[in-house]
Amino acid sequence: MGIDFQPDKPIYQQLIDRLAGEIIRGLRKPGDKLPSVREYAVETGVNANTIQRVYREMEQMNIAESRRGQGTFVTEDTGKLHELREKMKETYIHSFVQDMSDLGFTLEEMSEGLAHYQEGEKDD
């Protein structure tokens, strides 16, 4: 199948972000087994060594854990998952604010735009 990757960011980091997003959205729950390295490599169209790195990095972030002979699982430590959610929120907010500032928008204009956006969402 494969995924369209962004050329300006390492593939392994994009896969970590993808899995972290799935965890945050609840698509992967605490304790869920992640696909095997081979399965995920085929699913994403990426070399198995890259997937091994993804899982190793996620273990270092304490959001996944390896169990000998069983595979890799989403951590059951809900505190770590809450930290992950907050960190990703901060990252995306920082990126948004930086991009908007680079375009010349003030924080007040951003806030007004977000309020307007939220009102539009309610109308849907």
Side-chain angles (χ1 to χ4, degrees), residues 10-17 19-20 23 34 49-66 72-73 84 87:
I11 289 174
Y12 81 93
Q13 186 61 58
Q14 292 178 61
L15 289 171
I16 291 170
D17 292 347
L19 286 168
I23 292 167
L34 295 175
N49 292 328
T50 301
I51 303 305
Q52 286 178 321
R53 181 172 185 185
V54 167
Y55 286 179
R56 189 172 53 249
E57 296 276 339
M58 289 177 67
E59 283 182 55
Q60 290 175 349
M61 296 167 65
N62 295 313
I63 59 173
E65 55 187 49
S66 257
T72 305
F73 295 79
L84 171 67
K87 183 176 181 187

Short mmCIF file of all heavy atoms in Angstrom, two decimals, residues 10-17 19-20 23 34 49-66 72-73 84 87:
data_model
loop_
_atom_site.label_atom_id
_atom_site.label_comp_id
_atom_site.label_asym_id
_atom_site.label_seq_id
_atom_site.Cartn_x
_atom_site.Cartn_y
_atom_site.Cartn_z
N PRO A 10 12.41 13.15 8.25
CA PRO A 10 12.77 11.73 8.17
C PRO A 10 11.56 10.81 8.23
O PRO A 10 10.61 11.06 8.98
CB PRO A 10 13.67 11.53 9.40
CG PRO A 10 14.16 12.89 9.77
CD PRO A 10 13.08 13.84 9.35
N ILE A 11 11.60 9.75 7.43
CA ILE A 11 10.48 8.82 7.36
C ILE A 11 10.18 8.21 8.72
O ILE A 11 9.02 8.10 9.12
CB ILE A 11 10.76 7.73 6.31
CG1 ILE A 11 10.69 8.36 4.91
CG2 ILE A 11 9.78 6.57 6.42
CD1 ILE A 11 11.09 7.43 3.78
N TYR A 12 11.23 7.83 9.46
CA TYR A 12 10.97 7.20 10.76
C TYR A 12 10.22 8.15 11.68
O TYR A 12 9.33 7.73 12.43
CB TYR A 12 12.27 6.69 11.42
CG TYR A 12 13.08 7.74 12.12
CD1 TYR A 12 12.89 7.98 13.48
CD2 TYR A 12 14.02 8.50 11.44
CE1 TYR A 12 13.63 8.95 14.13
CE2 TYR A 12 14.76 9.47 12.08
CZ TYR A 12 14.56 9.69 13.43
OH TYR A 12 15.29 10.66 14.07
N GLN A 13 10.53 9.46 11.61
CA GLN A 13 9.85 10.43 12.47
C GLN A 13 8.39 10.60 12.04
O GLN A 13 7.50 10.73 12.88
CB GLN A 13 10.57 11.78 12.43
CG GLN A 13 10.02 12.79 13.41
CD GLN A 13 10.14 12.34 14.85
OE1 GLN A 13 11.23 12.06 15.31
NE2 GLN A 13 9.02 12.25 15.56
N GLN A 14 8.15 10.57 10.73
CA GLN A 14 6.78 10.66 10.24
C GLN A 14 5.95 9.46 10.70
O GLN A 14 4.77 9.59 11.03
CB GLN A 14 6.77 10.77 8.71
CG GLN A 14 7.36 12.09 8.22
CD GLN A 14 7.38 12.18 6.71
OE1 GLN A 14 6.32 12.12 6.09
NE2 GLN A 14 8.56 12.31 6.13
N LEU A 15 6.58 8.29 10.73
CA LEU A 15 5.87 7.09 11.19
C LEU A 15 5.61 7.15 12.69
O LEU A 15 4.54 6.73 13.16
CB LEU A 15 6.64 5.83 10.81
CG LEU A 15 6.63 5.52 9.32
CD1 LEU A 15 7.59 4.38 9.00
CD2 LEU A 15 5.23 5.20 8.83
N ILE A 16 6.57 7.66 13.46
CA ILE A 16 6.35 7.84 14.90
C ILE A 16 5.17 8.79 15.11
O ILE A 16 4.27 8.51 15.91
CB ILE A 16 7.62 8.38 15.60
CG1 ILE A 16 8.70 7.30 15.62
CG2 ILE A 16 7.30 8.86 17.02
CD1 ILE A 16 10.06 7.80 16.06
N ASP A 17 5.18 9.90 14.38
CA ASP A 17 4.08 10.87 14.50
C ASP A 17 2.74 10.24 14.12
O ASP A 17 1.71 10.51 14.75
CB ASP A 17 4.35 12.10 13.62
CG ASP A 17 5.51 12.94 14.11
OD1 ASP A 17 5.98 12.74 15.25
OD2 ASP A 17 5.97 13.81 13.34
N LEU A 19 1.87 6.98 14.27
CA LEU A 19 1.44 6.06 15.33
C LEU A 19 1.02 6.82 16.58
O LEU A 19 0.01 6.47 17.21
CB LEU A 19 2.56 5.07 15.65
CG LEU A 19 2.79 3.98 14.61
CD1 LEU A 19 4.09 3.23 14.88
CD2 LEU A 19 1.61 3.02 14.56
N ALA A 20 1.78 7.85 16.94
CA ALA A 20 1.42 8.65 18.12
C ALA A 20 0.06 9.29 17.93
O ALA A 20 -0.76 9.33 18.85
CB ALA A 20 2.49 9.71 18.38
N ILE A 23 -2.58 6.77 18.52
CA ILE A 23 -2.73 6.51 19.96
C ILE A 23 -3.53 7.63 20.61
O ILE A 23 -4.47 7.38 21.37
CB ILE A 23 -1.34 6.36 20.62
CG1 ILE A 23 -0.65 5.07 20.13
CG2 ILE A 23 -1.46 6.37 22.15
CD1 ILE A 23 0.82 4.98 20.47
N LEU A 34 1.10 -3.63 18.58
CA LEU A 34 1.40 -2.96 17.31
C LEU A 34 1.68 -4.04 16.26
O LEU A 34 2.05 -5.17 16.61
CB LEU A 34 2.61 -2.05 17.47
CG LEU A 34 2.42 -0.87 18.43
CD1 LEU A 34 3.72 -0.10 18.62
CD2 LEU A 34 1.33 0.07 17.93
N ASN A 49 14.08 -2.23 8.61
CA ASN A 49 15.03 -1.59 9.53
C ASN A 49 14.49 -0.25 10.02
O ASN A 49 14.73 0.14 11.16
CB ASN A 49 16.40 -1.40 8.88
CG ASN A 49 17.11 -2.71 8.64
OD1 ASN A 49 16.94 -3.67 9.38
ND2 ASN A 49 17.88 -2.77 7.56
N THR A 50 13.78 0.45 9.15
CA THR A 50 13.18 1.74 9.53
C THR A 50 12.09 1.51 10.59
O THR A 50 12.00 2.25 11.56
CB THR A 50 12.60 2.46 8.30
OG1 THR A 50 13.66 2.66 7.35
CG2 THR A 50 11.98 3.80 8.67
N ILE A 51 11.30 0.46 10.41
CA ILE A 51 10.24 0.16 11.37
C ILE A 51 10.85 -0.23 12.71
O ILE A 51 10.35 0.18 13.77
CB ILE A 51 9.30 -0.95 10.85
CG1 ILE A 51 8.69 -0.56 9.49
CG2 ILE A 51 8.22 -1.26 11.88
CD1 ILE A 51 7.95 0.76 9.46
N GLN A 52 11.94 -0.99 12.68
CA GLN A 52 12.62 -1.33 13.93
C GLN A 52 13.06 -0.06 14.66
O GLN A 52 12.94 0.04 15.87
CB GLN A 52 13.84 -2.22 13.67
CG GLN A 52 13.47 -3.64 13.33
CD GLN A 52 14.68 -4.50 13.03
OE1 GLN A 52 15.64 -4.07 12.41
NE2 GLN A 52 14.61 -5.75 13.48
N ARG A 53 13.56 0.91 13.90
CA ARG A 53 13.97 2.18 14.51
C ARG A 53 12.76 2.90 15.09
O ARG A 53 12.83 3.48 16.17
CB ARG A 53 14.67 3.06 13.49
CG ARG A 53 15.12 4.37 14.09
CD ARG A 53 15.97 5.19 13.20
NE ARG A 53 16.44 6.37 13.91
CZ ARG A 53 17.14 7.32 13.34
NH1 ARG A 53 17.51 7.23 12.08
NH2 ARG A 53 17.50 8.37 14.04
N VAL A 54 11.63 2.90 14.38
CA VAL A 54 10.41 3.54 14.86
C VAL A 54 10.03 2.95 16.22
O VAL A 54 9.79 3.69 17.18
CB VAL A 54 9.25 3.36 13.84
CG1 VAL A 54 7.91 3.74 14.46
CG2 VAL A 54 9.52 4.18 12.58
N TYR A 55 9.98 1.63 16.30
CA TYR A 55 9.58 0.97 17.55
C TYR A 55 10.60 1.23 18.66
O TYR A 55 10.22 1.46 19.81
CB TYR A 55 9.38 -0.53 17.32
CG TYR A 55 8.11 -0.87 16.56
CD1 TYR A 55 7.81 -2.20 16.25
CD2 TYR A 55 7.21 0.10 16.14
CE1 TYR A 55 6.64 -2.53 15.56
CE2 TYR A 55 6.06 -0.23 15.45
CZ TYR A 55 5.77 -1.54 15.16
OH TYR A 55 4.62 -1.87 14.48
N ARG A 56 11.89 1.22 18.31
CA ARG A 56 12.93 1.49 19.31
C ARG A 56 12.79 2.92 19.85
O ARG A 56 12.86 3.14 21.06
CB ARG A 56 14.31 1.27 18.68
CG ARG A 56 15.45 1.31 19.65
CD ARG A 56 16.78 0.89 19.03
NE ARG A 56 17.12 1.63 17.82
CZ ARG A 56 17.15 1.11 16.59
NH1 ARG A 56 16.87 -0.17 16.38
NH2 ARG A 56 17.48 1.86 15.55
N GLU A 57 12.56 3.89 18.97
CA GLU A 57 12.38 5.29 19.38
C GLU A 57 11.13 5.44 20.26
O GLU A 57 11.14 6.16 21.25
CB GLU A 57 12.27 6.21 18.17
CG GLU A 57 13.51 6.28 17.30
CD GLU A 57 14.55 7.25 17.79
OE1 GLU A 57 14.22 8.17 18.56
OE2 GLU A 57 15.72 7.09 17.39
N MET A 58 10.06 4.73 19.89
CA MET A 58 8.83 4.81 20.68
C MET A 58 9.05 4.20 22.07
O MET A 58 8.48 4.68 23.04
CB MET A 58 7.68 4.12 19.94
CG MET A 58 7.21 4.90 18.73
SD MET A 58 5.90 4.08 17.80
CE MET A 58 4.55 4.15 18.97
N GLU A 59 9.88 3.16 22.15
CA GLU A 59 10.22 2.58 23.46
C GLU A 59 11.01 3.59 24.29
O GLU A 59 10.75 3.74 25.49
CB GLU A 59 11.04 1.30 23.29
CG GLU A 59 10.21 0.11 22.88
CD GLU A 59 11.04 -1.14 22.77
OE1 GLU A 59 11.72 -1.50 23.77
OE2 GLU A 59 11.03 -1.77 21.70
N GLN A 60 11.95 4.30 23.65
CA GLN A 60 12.74 5.30 24.36
C GLN A 60 11.87 6.46 24.84
O GLN A 60 12.16 7.09 25.85
CB GLN A 60 13.88 5.81 23.49
CG GLN A 60 14.96 4.77 23.28
CD GLN A 60 16.04 5.20 22.31
OE1 GLN A 60 15.91 6.22 21.61
NE2 GLN A 60 17.12 4.43 22.26
N MET A 61 10.78 6.71 24.11
CA MET A 61 9.83 7.76 24.50
C MET A 61 8.86 7.25 25.57
O MET A 61 8.01 8.01 26.05
CB MET A 61 9.02 8.22 23.27
CG MET A 61 9.84 8.87 22.18
SD MET A 61 8.91 9.04 20.62
CE MET A 61 7.63 10.19 21.11
N ASN A 62 8.96 5.97 25.89
CA ASN A 62 8.09 5.31 26.87
C ASN A 62 6.62 5.26 26.46
O ASN A 62 5.73 5.29 27.31
CB ASN A 62 8.23 5.94 28.26
CG ASN A 62 9.62 5.75 28.83
OD1 ASN A 62 10.16 4.65 28.79
ND2 ASN A 62 10.20 6.82 29.33
N ILE A 63 6.37 5.21 25.16
CA ILE A 63 4.98 5.09 24.70
C ILE A 63 4.72 3.72 24.09
O ILE A 63 3.60 3.41 23.71
CB ILE A 63 4.57 6.21 23.72
CG1 ILE A 63 5.46 6.23 22.49
CG2 ILE A 63 4.56 7.55 24.43
CD1 ILE A 63 5.00 7.21 21.41
N ALA A 64 5.78 2.90 24.00
CA ALA A 64 5.64 1.53 23.53
C ALA A 64 6.60 0.66 24.34
O ALA A 64 7.56 1.17 24.92
CB ALA A 64 5.96 1.43 22.05
N GLU A 65 6.27 -0.62 24.40
CA GLU A 65 7.16 -1.54 25.10
C GLU A 65 7.24 -2.86 24.35
O GLU A 65 6.24 -3.33 23.80
CB GLU A 65 6.70 -1.76 26.54
CG GLU A 65 5.27 -2.24 26.66
CD GLU A 65 4.78 -2.28 28.10
OE1 GLU A 65 4.98 -1.27 28.82
OE2 GLU A 65 4.21 -3.31 28.49
N SER A 66 8.44 -3.42 24.31
CA SER A 66 8.66 -4.71 23.68
C SER A 66 8.51 -5.82 24.71
O SER A 66 8.96 -5.67 25.84
CB SER A 66 10.08 -4.78 23.12
OG SER A 66 10.07 -4.60 21.75
N THR A 72 5.58 -5.78 20.07
CA THR A 72 5.62 -4.43 20.63
C THR A 72 4.21 -3.97 20.90
O THR A 72 3.32 -4.16 20.07
CB THR A 72 6.34 -3.46 19.66
OG1 THR A 72 7.64 -3.99 19.36
CG2 THR A 72 6.50 -2.08 20.26
N PHE A 73 4.03 -3.34 22.06
CA PHE A 73 2.70 -2.94 22.52
C PHE A 73 2.68 -1.47 22.90
O PHE A 73 3.70 -0.92 23.36
CB PHE A 73 2.30 -3.77 23.75
CG PHE A 73 2.15 -5.22 23.46
CD1 PHE A 73 3.26 -6.05 23.36
CD2 PHE A 73 0.89 -5.78 23.27
CE1 PHE A 73 3.12 -7.40 23.09
CE2 PHE A 73 0.74 -7.13 23.00
CZ PHE A 73 1.87 -7.95 22.91
N LEU A 84 2.36 12.47 26.16
CA LEU A 84 2.49 12.45 24.70
C LEU A 84 1.46 13.38 24.06
O LEU A 84 1.79 14.18 23.19
CB LEU A 84 2.30 11.03 24.18
CG LEU A 84 2.18 10.87 22.65
CD1 LEU A 84 3.50 11.23 21.97
CD2 LEU A 84 1.75 9.45 22.30
N LYS A 87 2.43 17.00 24.70
CA LYS A 87 3.61 17.38 23.93
C LYS A 87 3.25 17.60 22.47
O LYS A 87 3.70 18.57 21.84
CB LYS A 87 4.70 16.32 24.06
CG LYS A 87 5.98 16.68 23.35
CD LYS A 87 7.07 15.68 23.55
CE LYS A 87 8.31 16.16 22.80
NZ LYS A 87 9.37 15.19 22.79
#
